Amino acid sequence: MNAPERAWSDIPARRWDGQAIDCAACPHSTLHAAGGCEPGHACLQDAYARRIDRFLRRHPGLANGSLGHPYFEVRAIAARHADVFHLPALMADPDETVRLQAASRLPQRLLGRLRDDPQREVRIRVAQRLAEAELPTLMHDPDYEVRATVARRLPGALLPLMMGDADLQVRRIVAERVTMPALWRLAEDPAPEVRRIAAERLPAALLEPLARDEDWLVRHTAAGRAVGELLQRLLLDAEPLVRERAAERLQELEDRRHG
C-alpha cells in the first residue's frame, strides 16, 4: 500500500451524514456483493471525497443518477463523470463546488449563463473556458482574478480596453501582452511596476519618457535598452545604479560593434 493509500485508510469510514455506513441498506448493495465497492476505499455513501471519486471512477454509469444526491460532494464528483446533457440542472445548484464542476464541462452555449455566479471561483472557471468572443462580457467583473484571467486570454486587439483597470495585477498582465501603439500609453501608468514592463518592451527609440521617470527602477530598466543620446544622458543619472547599468549597456553595445 503506497503513502496516499495509507492516508485514505487513516480516515475513518463514515457516511456523509455522520451515520455509520450500512452496505445492506445501500441502493448499490449488489455492487458490494460483487466486489465493485468497498467501505473505507471506494464508496458512494462515504463523506470522504476521494472514496466517492473512486466509486464513480469504477462506475461512471451511475454518475447521472447521482446528480441529485443530498451530499454536495457526491453531486460535484458525479458532475465530472455524468453525461454533459445532464449538467444544465447543476447550474442552479446551491453549492458552489457543484457549480464549479458544471462550469468545467458545460458547452459554450450554456457556460455564459454562469458569468454572474455569486462565487468568484465559478466565474474564474467561466473566464478560463469562455469563447474569446464572449470574454469582453467579463472585463468589468468585480473580482480582480476574474479580470486577470480575462486579460490573459483576451484577443490582442481588445487588450487596450483593459489598460485602465483599477487593479495593478491586471494592468501588469495587459502590459506584458499589449502591442504598439497601445503599449506606448503605458509609459504614463500610475504604477512604476507597469512602467517598468513598458520600459522592457517599448522600442528603444521610444524610451525617452521612461528615462526621465521618477522611479529609479524604471530608469534602470530603460538604461538597459537605451541607445545614442538617451544612453549618454543615463550615464549621468542621479542614481548610481542607473549610471552603472547605463555603463554596462554602453559596453554591451561596444562589444557587439567590435565582435
Short mmCIF file of all heavy atoms in Angstrom, two decimals, residues 14 47 58 66 94 105 114 131 137 158 173 191 215 239:
data_model
loop_
_atom_site.label_atom_id
_atom_site.label_comp_id
_atom_site.label_asym_id
_atom_site.label_seq_id
_atom_site.Cartn_x
_atom_site.Cartn_y
_atom_site.Cartn_z
N ARG A 14 -17.08 6.97 7.43
CA ARG A 14 -18.36 7.42 7.97
C ARG A 14 -19.22 7.89 6.83
O ARG A 14 -18.74 8.44 5.84
CB ARG A 14 -18.17 8.57 8.96
CG ARG A 14 -17.37 8.22 10.18
CD ARG A 14 -18.08 7.24 11.09
NE ARG A 14 -19.29 7.81 11.69
CZ ARG A 14 -20.09 7.14 12.51
NH1 ARG A 14 -19.83 5.89 12.81
NH2 ARG A 14 -21.15 7.73 13.02
N ALA A 47 -18.27 10.09 3.43
CA ALA A 47 -18.15 11.54 3.46
C ALA A 47 -16.87 12.02 2.79
O ALA A 47 -16.76 13.20 2.43
CB ALA A 47 -18.19 12.04 4.90
N ARG A 58 -15.00 3.90 -10.95
CA ARG A 58 -15.28 2.49 -11.27
C ARG A 58 -16.63 2.33 -11.96
O ARG A 58 -16.80 1.44 -12.80
CB ARG A 58 -15.28 1.65 -9.99
CG ARG A 58 -13.93 1.49 -9.33
CD ARG A 58 -14.06 0.54 -8.15
NE ARG A 58 -12.82 0.42 -7.40
CZ ARG A 58 -12.68 -0.40 -6.36
NH1 ARG A 58 -13.68 -1.16 -5.95
NH2 ARG A 58 -11.51 -0.45 -5.73
N SER A 66 -26.65 10.23 -9.77
CA SER A 66 -26.14 10.76 -8.50
C SER A 66 -26.13 12.28 -8.46
O SER A 66 -25.74 12.87 -7.45
CB SER A 66 -24.71 10.24 -8.26
OG SER A 66 -24.68 8.82 -8.22
N PRO A 94 -27.26 24.75 -5.19
CA PRO A 94 -26.98 25.66 -4.06
C PRO A 94 -25.51 25.67 -3.62
O PRO A 94 -25.09 26.60 -2.92
CB PRO A 94 -27.88 25.13 -2.95
CG PRO A 94 -28.15 23.71 -3.31
CD PRO A 94 -28.19 23.68 -4.80
N ARG A 105 -17.36 21.81 -17.51
CA ARG A 105 -17.73 20.91 -18.61
C ARG A 105 -18.90 21.39 -19.46
O ARG A 105 -19.16 20.81 -20.51
CB ARG A 105 -18.08 19.54 -18.03
CG ARG A 105 -16.94 18.85 -17.29
CD ARG A 105 -17.35 17.43 -16.90
NE ARG A 105 -17.69 16.65 -18.07
CZ ARG A 105 -18.64 15.71 -18.10
NH1 ARG A 105 -19.37 15.47 -17.01
NH2 ARG A 105 -18.90 15.03 -19.20
N LEU A 114 -23.30 31.35 -16.43
CA LEU A 114 -22.67 31.36 -15.10
C LEU A 114 -21.73 32.55 -14.92
O LEU A 114 -21.06 32.65 -13.90
CB LEU A 114 -21.90 30.05 -14.87
CG LEU A 114 -22.75 28.80 -14.66
CD1 LEU A 114 -21.86 27.57 -14.58
CD2 LEU A 114 -23.60 28.92 -13.41
N ALA A 131 -15.54 31.30 -24.70
CA ALA A 131 -15.02 31.61 -26.03
C ALA A 131 -14.48 33.04 -26.05
O ALA A 131 -15.01 33.94 -25.39
CB ALA A 131 -16.13 31.44 -27.07
N THR A 137 -17.43 40.35 -21.98
CA THR A 137 -18.53 40.47 -21.02
C THR A 137 -18.05 40.32 -19.59
O THR A 137 -18.79 40.63 -18.65
CB THR A 137 -19.62 39.42 -21.30
OG1 THR A 137 -19.05 38.10 -21.16
CG2 THR A 137 -20.17 39.56 -22.72
N LEU A 158 -8.25 43.70 -28.34
CA LEU A 158 -9.15 44.21 -27.30
C LEU A 158 -8.42 44.56 -26.00
O LEU A 158 -9.01 45.15 -25.10
CB LEU A 158 -10.25 43.19 -27.02
CG LEU A 158 -11.18 42.85 -28.19
CD1 LEU A 158 -12.19 41.79 -27.77
CD2 LEU A 158 -11.90 44.10 -28.66
N ILE A 173 -0.54 42.31 -16.39
CA ILE A 173 -0.78 41.29 -17.41
C ILE A 173 -1.02 41.95 -18.77
O ILE A 173 -0.49 41.50 -19.80
CB ILE A 173 -1.97 40.41 -17.01
CG1 ILE A 173 -1.65 39.60 -15.76
CG2 ILE A 173 -2.36 39.47 -18.15
CD1 ILE A 173 -2.83 38.91 -15.13
N ALA A 191 1.41 53.22 -11.89
CA ALA A 191 2.22 52.26 -11.12
C ALA A 191 3.59 52.06 -11.76
O ALA A 191 3.68 51.72 -12.94
CB ALA A 191 1.49 50.92 -11.01
N ASP A 215 10.75 57.04 -10.89
CA ASP A 215 11.14 55.79 -10.23
C ASP A 215 12.48 55.33 -10.82
O ASP A 215 12.59 55.08 -12.02
CB ASP A 215 10.06 54.72 -10.46
CG ASP A 215 10.34 53.46 -9.67
OD1 ASP A 215 11.15 52.63 -10.14
OD2 ASP A 215 9.76 53.29 -8.59
N GLU A 239 21.04 58.52 -9.89
CA GLU A 239 21.08 57.26 -9.15
C GLU A 239 22.30 56.43 -9.61
O GLU A 239 22.42 56.10 -10.80
CB GLU A 239 19.80 56.47 -9.39
CG GLU A 239 19.78 55.04 -8.88
CD GLU A 239 20.09 54.94 -7.40
OE1 GLU A 239 19.46 55.68 -6.60
OE2 GLU A 239 20.96 54.12 -7.03
#
